Amino acid sequence: SRLLSSHTREREGEVIARYMKLANSIHSRLRIDETNSASCEGESGVSNRYGAALWGADYIVRAMAAGVSGMDFHNQPENCQTYSLVCAPSSEDLKRGVLRRQPMLYPLLLDKPLDGSRPIPSQQTHEIKGLVTYAFEKQEQGEIMISAVNFSKDPAEIQFDAPQKTISVTSL
């Protein structure tokens, strides 16, 4: 899927950098509003599949690492074919408040522990094809959190060297 391509990630990174530059020039924070995996209600077969969850987990941490202060993801609970976080399979279910989880909910849950953290420099000591990692720190707790997104079909083994720190890892 183009959603998971390196080209898409590069273009998104360029857009985020451009908006961060603008926000910084006026001494303002950047919050990305009305975002999700595809514009105009998403794309059935893309936005409502688990590849979108992988994309979302990466997109959120890349934006955080760039300095974005927040992101607002669209949700349309009345339509399970779109990029909804949760949805009702029928109008009757919607009236009764019966909702089911959709793939785009999972990146938000996965990245939730990163709230209140700041990006910190990190590096991979050797290249692992398809693996993207980001490091964040919660200063008050002294906790380092690593977000690792593996775009490869192969499993990746990760080792950390952070003496005297508590490390938690989120991975998808």
Side-chain angles (χ1 to χ4, degrees):
S1 157
R2 287 181 297 158
L3 184 62
L4 300 178
S5 74
S6 59
H7 176 74
T8 297
R9 291 194 315 273
E10 287 170 16
R11 294 283 298 140
E12 290 167 344
E14 291 167 2
V15 170
I16 290 170
R18 185 173 29 236
Y19 286 124
M20 281 302 303
K21 184 177 180 180
L22 176 62
N24 290 335
S25 75
I26 59 172
H27 309 288
S28 184
R29 296 178 1 183
L30 174 63
R31 181 173 193 92
I32 298 175
D33 192 23
E34 297 189 19
T35 193
N36 215 313
S37 58
S39 65
C40 302
E41 300 181 10
E43 186 178 328
S44 184
V46 174
S47 301
N48 58 347
R49 298 293 187 264
Y50 284 95
L54 184 62
W55 167 84
D58 177 66
Y59 184 54
I60 291 168
V61 294
R62 279 189 298 117
M64 289 180 68
V68 172
S69 66
M71 301 177 88
D72 298 321
F73 283 80
H74 272 233
N75 190 37
Q76 295 182 316
E78 69 281 356
N79 187 346
C80 291
Q81 298 305 309
T82 66
Y83 49 39
S84 293
L85 307 175
V86 294
C87 69
S90 70
S91 57
E92 192 58 41
D93 287 331
L94 185 60
K95 289 177 190 171
R96 293 192 338 251
V98 176
L99 301 172
R100 71 175 185 209
R101 295 176 182 159
Q102 291 284 86
M104 280 306 300
L105 176 65
Y106 295 100
L108 299 177
L109 297 175
L110 183 69
D111 292 334
K112 175 74 174 136
L114 299 175
D115 280 355
S117 66
R118 66 178 184 89
I120 58 173
S122 66
Q123 66 180 31
Q124 291 178 228
T125 55
H126 61 281
E127 183 71 23
I128 300 174
K129 185 173 172 56
L131 182 69
V132 182
T133 59
Y134 302 90
F136 299 89
E137 180 178 34
K138 285 196 175 177
Q139 289 181 302
E140 293 173 8
Q141 296 94 339
E143 181 180 14
I144 294 175
M145 294 165 289
I146 308 294
S147 177
V149 181
N150 185 0
F151 288 98
S152 169
K153 294 177 183 166
D154 301 321
E157 182 177 312
I158 305 170
Q159 296 180 0
F160 302 97
D161 182 18
Q164 302 177 340
K165 293 282 186 174
T166 300
I167 297 176
S168 62
V169 178
T170 60
S171 64
L172 178 63

